[in-house]
Structure formats: C-alpha cells, structure tokens
Amino acid sequence: MTEPSPRPGLARRDATVVFLVALALRLILLATSAGDPVVRVPMLDAEYAVDWARGIAAGDVWGSPEHTAYFRTPLYSWFLALAFGLPGPDLGVARVLQAILGALAAVVVARMAGRRFSRTAGLVAGGLAATAWPLLLFGRELLIVTLAFLLGALSLDALDRAFSGPSIRRWIVAGLWIGLACVARANFALLVPVAAALALLGPARRLPHALAVTMAAAIVIAPIAIRNHHFSGEWIPLSWQGGINLYLGNHPGADGVSATLPGFTSWRNEDVEALLTRELGHRPGPGEQDRHFRALALEYLRDSPGDFARGLLRKTALFFQSYEIRNNRDLYWLRDRTGWLRGPWPDWGWIVPLAFVGLFVGGPARRWRPLLPTLAYAAALAASPILFFVCARYRIPAWPAFLVLAGAGGAAIVGPGVRPPRRLAALAAVIALVVVTRLDPFGIRNPDVAPVHFQYANVLARIGEDAEAEREFREALAITPGYPEARYHLGALLLRQGRVGEAFPELDAAVRAMPSSFRARRSLAEAWETAGRADQAIPLRREIVALTGGALEDRFQLATALGLAGRYEESLAEFRALDDTPLRDDSDFLLNAGQTALALGREDLGLEWLERALERPDAREFASDALARYWLSRENWDAGLRVLSNGLLRTPDSEPLLRLRAHARRATGDATGAIEDWEHVLRLAPGDSVATEELAGLREQAGP
C-alpha cells in the first residue's frame, strides 16, 4: 500500500507573513525591554554561555569553562562567539540574530504543517509559533532554547520529508540536522535511534536508509567525541551532565521540577565536585562523575521501583499541564515586566489541547502512518524532561511536533469546509482540554515568590545597585524568613560594603541553615578576618577545606588565616604542603608563604619564595616591598636598598617602594637620595602631607 502523498506546502506569501509577524514581535520585545537590567545582565546559565563564548571569540575555539570534556554542548556558545564578531554591541547583536532564528523556526513549523495537513493548519501552526509568549521570551534570553527550537523544527521537517519520500540523500540530510541538534543539546541524541527505526518502518523499509541517517548524525557528533577524549582521556560523545540531571529527577525526595542536589539548597557544579571528592576521596573526572550519578539514579530505580514509576507519572502530568515551570528564572515575572506580553498570547496550555484535537479529530485515521515522524519526535523529545525533570525551557525542543499537530487542531475549528458538527466537536474538545491542562493537582501554580526577589537582587548587586539589591534580598526574606541563599547573599553584600557587624548575623544564619555550603562559610570566615579576628575564622576555614575535599584555594586561605592569627608554625606547615601543588606558582601563595617563613626566621624558605615572586610581574612590587622590609628590619641596609632599587627599575612609579627607599636612605645618611625619592612621590601624589613634611625636614637639615 502506498503512502498518501503530502499536501502542497504553504505558499511563499503565507510563509513570508509568518516570518514577518514572528520577527516583528521579537524585535518589538527587544526594543521595549532593552533598558531592563534583568535583560541587560546575563546571569546563571546565560552568564555561563556568554563567558564561554567570549573565550571562544578570543581564540579558544575548542576550549570549555571546565578545561576538560564538555559539561554542556558547545554549539550555542559557538553561535554567540560568531555573533560577538559582528559589528554592534555583542549581546544586542546576539539577540537580534536569535529573533531571526525564532522567526525562521516559525516558518519551518508552518510549512511542515501546511504540507502535512492544509494551508489553514500551516497558518495556525506558524501563527502559534510566531506569537506564543514563552517562545518570545526565550528568544530574548541568552540561552540555547531558540537554537534548540529551530534545530528541532529542522530535524523534524527533514525526518518527515525523508519518511514520506525516502531516498538516501533525504535520510542523510535528516541525520545531519539531528547531529547538529545534538551538538546544541545532547537530549536530541534520542532522535538518532528514532530516525533509524523510522527508516526501517517507512515505505521503502531499507536498512541502508537507517545506516545513512545514523552515520550522518555520527559524523557531526564525532569531532565532539574526539575533542572530549583529547581533553579528558575519556570517550564522552557529547557532554557529561546527563548523569547528574538523571539523578536530580530520580532520587528519594525528587519532586520532578527542582534541580536541587539532596543536602543542598541549589545545584552548582562546584557543589557536585566537592561532594564527590569527599565521598570518593579524589576529584572525579567527567566520565566518572557522570557514571556515579547515573548509577545512583539506577539504584533508586532498583530499590524503589514504585516510587520511580510514580515519579515518571507525575512528571508526565507536569509535562502536559500548561504552567510554565521555572528553572532559574520565573517566566511569568519576566513576562509581567513587559506590559504588552500580559495579554492573551498563546502558550503551551493552548498548544497541547489543539495538538490532541489535531491528532484525533483533525485528520482521518488513515493519515496516522504519515504522522509517525511527528509522533515519534514528540515522544522522544517529551521523554527527555519526563525522564529527568520538567521545566518550561526543557520541553521547548518538543514544541515543533506539538505545533504541527496544533495546526491541524486549529484547522479543524477555523478551516474552510469543515462541517459544523465536526467544528463544534473540535472546539468543545479544545476547551475541555484547556481546562484540564490548567488544573493544578500538584500545587505548582502558586510557587514561592521569594526566589523572584532573590534573583532580581543578584542582578542589581551585579550592576552595583547595592541599595536596591539589599531591599530585594530583605523582601525575599520577609516572604520566606528561612531562605538561606538570600541570607547568604545579603550577608555577602553587606560584607562587600564594609558593614561587617550587620553581615555577621546573616552569614551565621546561612551557615547554620546550609551545613553543606562552603560558600557561606567562606564569607563568614572573611568577615571574621576583616574584623581582625582571624582566630575565629580558622575553625571555619578548616570546615571549608573538609567540605571542598581539600581544594587548593581553601587550603591556601587556611594557611593565610593561621598566619594572620599568629600561628606561624601551623601556617608554614600548610604553605610547605602547598608548595608541591600547582598553587606553588601563584603570586599570592608566594607572597604569603614567603612572609610567613621570614616571620619564623626561616630565611632560606622565605627568601626562596619571595625571590620566585619577584619573577612574576603581578607580584614584583609587593615582593620587593616584603624583601626590603625584611632586610631593613635586620639593619642590612645594603641588601634592603639593593632590593628597592632593583624593584624601582622595573616599577619606577611605585609609591610604596619610593617611600620605603626614602626612609632607608635617610636612615643611612643619604639625604640627597631621600630628597629625590620624596620629590618623586610628590610628583605622583601632589599635596601628600607626609611627603611634604618629610621633604621639608630633609631640606632644613641639609641647609642652604
């Protein structure tokens, strides 16, 4: 039996209208929200992508923030790096390009719906893609979502074309698009076996087609796998965040929507690394970390299959309900900050009902087989968030298939030639399903709004609006007094402002509320050191070292705190242990270790470390000052003056070195040299009272 041929695609004029409407709305959104700090300042995942892209633009094309295998797939940061190379403000250019890509994606969806169903279906699908407010907002965010949506639409369209008109060339094209989508977001890898199965189930049912689509995808993915092996020594095809994401959605206490590591108030890569370092006794490589968390999730499945199954059912229901579940930014708050988006723009809660109506009402059963690519795509891309955890942006890759079906559902209601009974039945079904998708059996529609104030406060703090940031932090705490992250960030803000006394209670409360947090302890330890109580910081510094599994930076801070507290023997022991680590070449380490050794009279060690510091441009001035003070304190004037003179040869306008040499020259009777140094200081700092007095005294002493 031959397959029914697809209907003619959307007319070029129709596609142009869809494109222009989609592009206009996205550009209007950019223009009307350009001044909003929430838009101007990349935070969290957006900041990660932007920082990575800046490194790529600077020439580190194959690099990654973790300096090992890719934790996240690189295509979006490559896209941003390309945008940053174009004329205009970096982030603005990137957002305009995203607006164009979003409009193109709407056209791809519209043309496929038109080809598969009817012109009306194409216009409905394209109209929904052009005007859905979540897509509009995500098109403005510096996240992978827009690129993933476009590549998903292109992959689906290519699969549909290959399935309905099978040829090696079409299956290769489908494989290439799927491979590129995988480099954008790893969960598209689920489409590879789906595509191979479709090639075997299609009209031709040919194994070469299945091999062609699989190999084409593999060819695109292969360079990423080879690169990952080069940087990590492990074969990681795309990225290594799959294991942790699987565990976040499948562990005792998982709610299906929260990306929270058990025992922590949030999930950060450094938390994960510290936790595993403590548990395993060493810092795990990317592959080991991925396997560890995948094993924990599978252990949960084995030990609690009923809870695991109930979790999947819950996440399935959450996937199909209409509420846009936030990940780290609340979409409804973002929408409300742009007034015109508060209107009745379509969202997932309309698309899903229309899609189900399009599937069951919009076309006869004989047309279900040609819909296999659309249905298989929808199932594969829905399986990813359902298996992991559900949030608005993680279900966006599934949107293209649902939009195509929603076009058919819309055509069943507003299309020409539809009989009234059928039209009414379709409309009634859509309304009933809209109501169902808006039911809230899990109580997710009224989430705690404190995180909204918390996130906004962090944006304000980033741009230096400290007073407003403090107000937002306190608003978050007024709503949720036990919000530990807000207490920690408020305390850190107060500490940065020098309000140490006010920072103490906030940081102390955060430490008590977050027993696994080393960041809160770092800030509290810094507060004690700022207050001149390094002895109080030492127990905290020891806890931090334990929590981070002995991170070098934290061991260094412990050694420094011991020195500040006058516990030089313990401090020196820590510094000597660190001298066998990569930290041995760090300027701060060399300066602190050298001064600690000299304070204990260990001249051999102290001089060695400070001499090494002299070789580093960023430490040269401080090392010269420390060495000179040591020699001068021992009344070794020649050595002290030699160090100062050598230092000033390299940094001739160093006020600290000039002042110290002026004092040393005066002490050795070289009034002329001291006068020269003080005159130099005054040229650098006119009106300096100390230099003026010293110079006057020397001139009076020298006489006419």
Side-chain angles (χ1 to χ4, degrees):
M1 177 179 174
T2 60
E3 297 290 343
S5 60
R7 296 173 183 269
L10 213 64
R12 181 175 297 179
R13 181 178 59 186
D14 296 330
T16 301
V17 170
V18 169
F19 176 81
L20 292 177
V21 170
L23 181 61
L25 289 175
R26 283 155 175 78
L27 294 179
I28 290 170
L29 179 61
L30 292 183
T32 54
S33 60
D36 190 339
V38 172
V39 177
R40 288 189 290 110
V41 182
M43 297 290 289
L44 302 169
D45 290 352
E47 181 181 18
Y48 178 98
V50 168
D51 289 346
W52 184 3
R54 296 203 189 284
I56 294 169
D60 190 14
V61 176
W62 290 98
S64 73
E66 293 78 22
H67 307 292
T68 181
Y70 289 130
F71 177 72
R72 294 179 179 172
T73 43
L75 188 62
Y76 182 63
S77 287
W78 287 344
F79 162 77
L80 286 181
L82 177 65
F84 294 168
L86 298 176
D90 286 353
L91 303 186
V93 170
R95 288 189 170 104
V96 170
L97 289 179
Q98 288 188 178
I100 296 171
L101 296 184
L104 287 173
V107 172
V108 174
V109 167
R111 291 181 70 91
M112 180 179 166
R115 185 177 70 248
R116 185 51 63 194
F117 294 107
S118 67
R119 175 175 179 266
T120 302
L123 289 173
V124 171
L128 290 170
T131 61
W133 69 262
L135 291 180
L136 290 173
L137 275 181
F138 277 128
R140 186 187 66 185
E141 298 291 292
L142 295 170
L143 298 169
I144 186 62
V145 181
T146 298
L147 197 57
F149 179 60
L150 173 62
L151 291 172
L154 289 167
S155 298
L156 173 58
D157 183 66
L159 279 176
D160 183 73
R161 290 176 182 275
F163 186 81
S164 60
S167 69
I168 286 286
R169 183 186 65 80
R170 285 191 172 187
W171 283 111
I172 289 174
V173 170
L176 293 175
W177 279 123
I178 292 170
L180 194 61
C182 290
V183 181
R185 194 167 186 83
N187 58 335
F188 279 108
L190 293 171
L191 284 181
V192 177
V194 166
L198 287 171
L200 294 174
L201 293 172
R205 293 183 174 88
R206 294 184 59 186
L207 180 61
H209 292 171
L211 293 175
V213 69
T214 303
M215 292 302 297
I219 287 171
V220 180
I221 295 170
I224 305 300
I226 294 169
R227 179 264 175 208
N228 283 342
H229 185 269
H230 173 76
F231 277 85
S232 70
E234 299 177 282
W235 286 108
I236 298 171
L238 289 163
S239 65
W240 48 281
Q241 64 171 317
I244 181 63
N245 280 333
L246 185 64
Y247 179 61
L248 290 173
N250 301 279
H251 64 79
D255 61 6
V257 298
S258 301
T260 304
L261 196 67
F264 293 83
T265 55
S266 62
W267 164 51
R268 294 180 175 87
N269 290 354
E270 57 264 36
D271 290 336
V272 175
E273 184 177 287
L275 175 68
L276 287 188
T277 300
R278 295 198 304 272
E279 290 185 359
L280 302 176
H282 63 273
R283 293 193 179 279
E288 183 180 9
Q289 175 178 311
D290 193 37
R291 292 188 296 273
H292 175 83
F293 284 109
R294 189 182 302 112
L296 287 179
L298 294 176
E299 180 182 320
Y300 173 65
L301 167 61
R302 185 190 66 229
D303 295 344
S304 306
D307 291 339
F308 181 86
R310 281 187 289 273
L312 287 183
L313 289 174
R314 174 188 171 92
K315 288 184 282 185
T316 301
L318 289 170
F319 178 85
F320 286 105
Q321 60 77 46
S322 66
Y323 187 78
E324 302 293 347
I325 300 170
R326 66 191 180 198
N327 183 221
N328 44 35
R329 298 239 278 196
D330 189 296
L331 282 187
Y332 295 94
W333 175 66
L334 292 174
R335 182 189 66 175
D336 290 345
R337 293 181 69 85
T338 304
W340 63 272
L341 270 186
R342 297 174 191 165
W345 300 95
D347 62 6
W348 184 246
W350 284 99
I351 291 165
V352 166
L354 285 168
F356 276 101
V357 168
L359 182 61
F360 293 103
V361 180
R366 69 182 179 83
R367 292 180 58 197
W368 279 31
R369 184 174 176 82
L371 291 179
L372 274 178
T374 304
L375 297 176
Y377 178 99
L381 272 298
S384 176
I386 290 172
L387 186 59
F388 295 91
F389 57 92
V390 181
C391 68
R393 73 179 188 181
Y394 288 171
R395 65 185 178 189
I396 289 291
W399 275 51
F402 285 89
L403 282 166
V404 168
L405 295 173
I413 298 172
V414 300
V418 179
R419 294 180 179 179
R422 188 181 183 89
R423 193 188 305 273
L424 288 175
L427 180 59
V430 167
I431 292 173
L433 288 172
V434 166
V435 172
V436 170
T437 63
R438 279 162 170 74
L439 297 178
D440 190 21
F442 303 111
I444 63 170
R445 286 184 173 273
N446 296 294
D448 182 3
V449 297
V452 171
H453 293 280
F454 169 71
Q455 293 158 9
Y456 188 37
N458 281 318
V459 172
L460 294 169
R462 178 68 61 85
I463 61 176
E465 297 286 346
D466 287 355
E468 288 298 308
E470 180 181 345
R471 184 179 63 79
E472 291 293 327
F473 281 133
R474 295 195 185 279
E475 182 65 25
L477 289 168
I479 296 168
T480 307
Y483 194 171
E485 288 283 348
R487 291 214 173 274
Y488 159 53
H489 282 261
L490 174 59
L493 175 68
L494 295 170
L495 178 61
R496 191 184 74 198
Q497 293 177 329
R499 297 158 63 183
V500 181
E502 295 175 72
F504 272 120
E506 304 297 341
L507 294 172
D508 185 62
V511 166
R512 286 186 280 106
M514 298 190 290
S516 300
S517 172
F518 49 84
R519 282 181 299 277
R521 283 168 172 77
R522 281 174 179 167
S523 292
L524 184 56
E526 182 184 345
W528 281 117
E529 290 159 359
T530 302
R533 296 293 306 276
D535 55 319
Q536 295 287 338
I538 290 171
L540 288 165
R541 293 290 183 193
R542 293 195 188 280
E543 290 177 16
I544 295 165
V545 169
L547 286 171
T548 61
L552 295 181
E553 178 62 26
D554 292 307
R555 289 172 60 191
F556 167 67
Q557 294 295 343
L558 171 60
T560 302
L562 288 165
L564 291 173
R567 295 160 63 170
Y568 296 119
E569 292 287 356
E570 295 174 80
S571 177
L572 184 60
E574 294 287 343
F575 280 127
R576 294 192 69 176
L578 289 169
D579 201 28
D580 292 326
T581 72
L583 204 62
R584 71 187 307 272
D585 295 322
D586 181 80
S587 297
D588 288 335
F589 164 77
L590 294 171
L591 290 168
N592 283 276
Q595 291 176 86
T596 300
L598 291 180
L600 278 172
R602 292 296 307 272
E603 188 174 289
D604 54 337
L605 278 175
L607 293 179
E608 177 194 343
W609 279 325
L610 289 176
E611 289 289 348
R612 279 160 51 190
L614 282 175
E615 299 171 5
R616 303 187 63 84
D618 60 332
R620 188 170 292 144
E621 180 180 3
F622 301 103
S624 298
D625 186 88
L627 277 171
R629 289 182 185 279
Y630 174 72
W631 290 123
L632 296 178
S633 69
R634 298 175 65 84
E635 297 187 355
N636 189 334
W637 307 105
D638 289 341
L641 285 168
R642 183 169 59 252
V643 169
L644 288 167
S645 296
N646 288 337
L648 284 165
L649 283 175
R650 296 178 174 180
T651 53
D653 291 333
S654 169
E655 283 189 52
L657 297 186
L658 286 167
R659 292 173 187 275
L660 189 56
R661 190 172 70 173
H663 285 299
R665 281 177 161 179
R666 181 170 187 172
T668 57
D670 183 6
T672 302
I675 288 172
E676 291 177 357
D677 286 338
W678 285 122
E679 287 176 341
H680 195 164
V681 169
L682 279 175
R683 286 196 297 273
L684 297 172
D688 183 281
S689 58
V690 173
T692 301
E693 291 177 9
E694 290 285 345
L695 191 56
L698 284 167
R699 285 172 174 165
E700 182 179 348
Q701 179 183 340

